[in-house]
Amino acid sequence: MRISEPKLLAGLAKLDVELRQGTSLADLTSLGIGGTTDLLRIKKHESIPCLLRLLDDSHIPHKFLGGGSNLLVGDGELPWVVLQLVRPDPEIVLEGNFAHVDAAADLGRTVTFCAKHDLGGMEGLIGVPGTVGGALRMNAGAYGMQIGSYVREVKVYRAAARQIEILRGHQISFEYRHTSFAPDDMMLAVTLELPSKPFKDILEGIRICNEKRRSSQPLGQKSAGCIFKNPPGASAGRMIDELGLKSLSVGDARVSDRHANFFVNAGKASARDMLALIADVRERVHKTYGVELENEVVVWNA
Ligand SMILES: Cc1cc2nc3c(=O)[nH]c(=O)nc-3n(C[C@H](O)[C@H](O)[C@H](O)COP(=O)(O)OP(=O)(O)OC[C@H]3O[C@@H](n4cnc5c(N)ncnc54)[C@H](O)[C@@H]3O)c2cc1C
C-alpha cells in the first residue's frame, strides 16, 4: 500500500514520522519472506494517537513491526502500511533493580546491558532475536523463564481508548506465548524488576543457554524460531521429528534438519510455499496424534 494523499504526507511530516516508501519486508524479517509496502518510522511515542487518527481518517490499515523475528509476511504488494518505533538514545535507563526499557530496544542488548550492571534473570532470552516490545507481545521465553515474570509496568498505546496508558504488572496476564494485551495495543516501554546477581554468574548462565541453542537450532539459516506452539504436555518438534518430516519441503521452504519445529527459508521461499508447508505438517500431525498445532509464528497474509 502506498501513501500518496498530500494532506496525509503533510501530517506525517508535521508529526516527524519518517516515511520509507516501497519497503521490502523480506529485508526486515528473519525469515527473509514478504512483499512490499510503505514503512512509517515513529520517533516520538506521543505522536502515535495523532498518527493513528490520520491513518484511520484516510482509511489506511496498518500493522506493527518490532524486529521481524516472529513473522511470516505475505507476498507481493501488501494491503496495509507498517509502523515501527525508532530506537531512542538511551534505550535503557537503570534505577536500582529496575530497568526502564524502550519497546524498540534490542532484546539481546538489553539482557547484556543489564548483566553488566549485575542484574540477571533474563539469561534464557539471550539468543532470542527481536525487540523488547515483540518479546512482551508474545511473552518470549526459553529454558524455563519468560520475560513476563519481570514486568512491573508497561507503557502502552491502547487503540480502543485511543490513548497512551500505563499498565501495572498485575493488570497483565502472561502465559505461555500469550498475553492479555489487546491485539491492537502497542507496547511502547516497559519497567522490568531484575534480581541482583554477579556479572560472572550471569555470563555463565548466558554461556550455557548459548551452547544449548547452538547445539539444537539452525542458527545460520533464515527462520522465525519455532513455527508452532507446544501443545500442553507435548513437544511440537518431537511429534514432527517422529513423523520423519525433517527436511520436508515446499519450494525453498523447508523443515529444518536440525530442529523439526524450525522451518527455514533455504533460498527464495515465498510466503505461499511456507504456508503450504505449515498446513501440510499441521495436517500430518493431526492425522497421527489428533493434535491441532497452533501457530507460534505470526502470519500477516497479503
Ligand atoms: C533463531 C530464532 C530463535 C528464536 N527463539 C525464541 C525463543 O527461544 N523463545 C521465544 O519466545 N521466541 C523465539 N523466537 C521468536 C522471536 O524472536 C520472538 O517471538 C521475539 O520476541 C519477537 O520479537 P520481534 O520484535 O522480532 O517481533 P516481530 O516479529 O516484529 O512481531 C511479532 C508480533 O509482535 C507484535 N509486536 C512487535 N512489537 C510490538 C510492540 N512494541 N507492540 C505491540 N506489538 C508488537 C507484532 O505486531 C507481531 O504481531 C526466535 C526467533 C528466531 C529467528
Side-chain angles (χ1 to χ4, degrees), residues 1-3 5 8 52-62 79-81:
M1 172 165 269
R2 302 305 156 105
I3 294 178
E5 207 185 301
L8 182 52
L52 292 189
R53 202 163 304 123
L54 272 179
L55 294 176
D56 274 359
D57 290 348
S58 303
H59 307 289
I60 295 191
H62 66 273
W80 19 260
V81 297

Side-chain angles (χ1 to χ4, degrees), residues 74-292:
D75 304 312
E77 183 65 28
L78 302 165
W80 19 260
V81 297
V82 167
L83 314 183
Q84 191 179 39
L85 296 174
V86 172
R87 213 173 279 148
D89 187 18
E91 56 189 7
I92 309 170
V93 174
L94 298 181
E95 201 183 342
N97 285 70
F98 295 96
H100 307 287
V101 191
D102 194 89
D106 178 80
L107 181 63
R109 224 178 20 245
T110 302
V111 176
T112 48
F113 181 89
C114 293
K116 283 179 191 157
H117 292 84
D118 299 322
L119 294 175
M122 298 198 292
E123 293 84 333
L125 291 175
I126 195 66
V128 180
T131 61
V132 167
L136 288 173
R137 158 66 67 199
M138 302 297 291
N139 189 21
Y143 308 121
M145 64 76 54
Q146 53 182 28
I147 191 166
S149 312
Y150 302 102
V151 171
R152 295 298 167 259
E153 212 169 80
V154 179
K155 180 182 174 190
V156 56
Y157 171 76
R158 309 218 84 175
R162 290 182 172 245
Q163 61 185 20
I164 294 174
E165 294 177 11
I166 304 290
L167 296 181
R168 311 276 170 219
H170 70 265
Q171 295 174 281
I172 312 160
S173 82
F174 289 97
E175 290 153 37
Y176 169 65
R177 303 299 173 270
H178 180 78
T179 59
S180 57
F181 294 110
D184 49 6
D185 279 351
M186 264 183 219
M187 277 58 90
L188 305 178
V190 62
T191 299
L192 303 167
E193 185 178 5
L194 301 168
S196 300
K197 225 175 180 182
F199 180 45
K200 69 171 183 28
D201 293 358
I202 304 175
L203 266 190
E204 178 57 11
I206 287 175
R207 192 192 61 74
I208 292 167
C209 292
N210 270 336
E211 193 48 46
K212 284 186 193 164
R213 267 182 205 282
R214 262 197 298 271
S215 64
S216 63
Q217 297 180 2
L219 296 186
Q221 288 181 286
K222 292 179 183 171
S223 83
C226 288
I227 287 289
F228 300 112
K229 293 183 185 181
N230 287 324
S235 155
R238 192 166 306 134
M239 289 190 274
I240 299 168
D241 197 5
E242 279 171 8
L243 288 174
L245 301 181
K246 277 182 170 172
S247 296
L248 180 74
S249 41
V250 176
D252 278 336
R254 186 170 304 160
V255 178
S256 161
D257 53 11
R258 230 175 139 71
H259 189 311
N261 199 12
F262 275 55
F263 292 12
V264 299
N265 173 5
K268 290 192 169 152
S270 63
R272 207 187 155 93
D273 295 335
M274 193 56 82
L275 287 167
L277 183 64
I278 292 172
D280 187 8
V281 170
R282 178 182 283 117
E283 196 185 317
R284 291 179 196 229
V285 168
H286 186 250
K287 225 181 201 167
T288 307
Y289 296 96
V291 172
E292 189 71 36

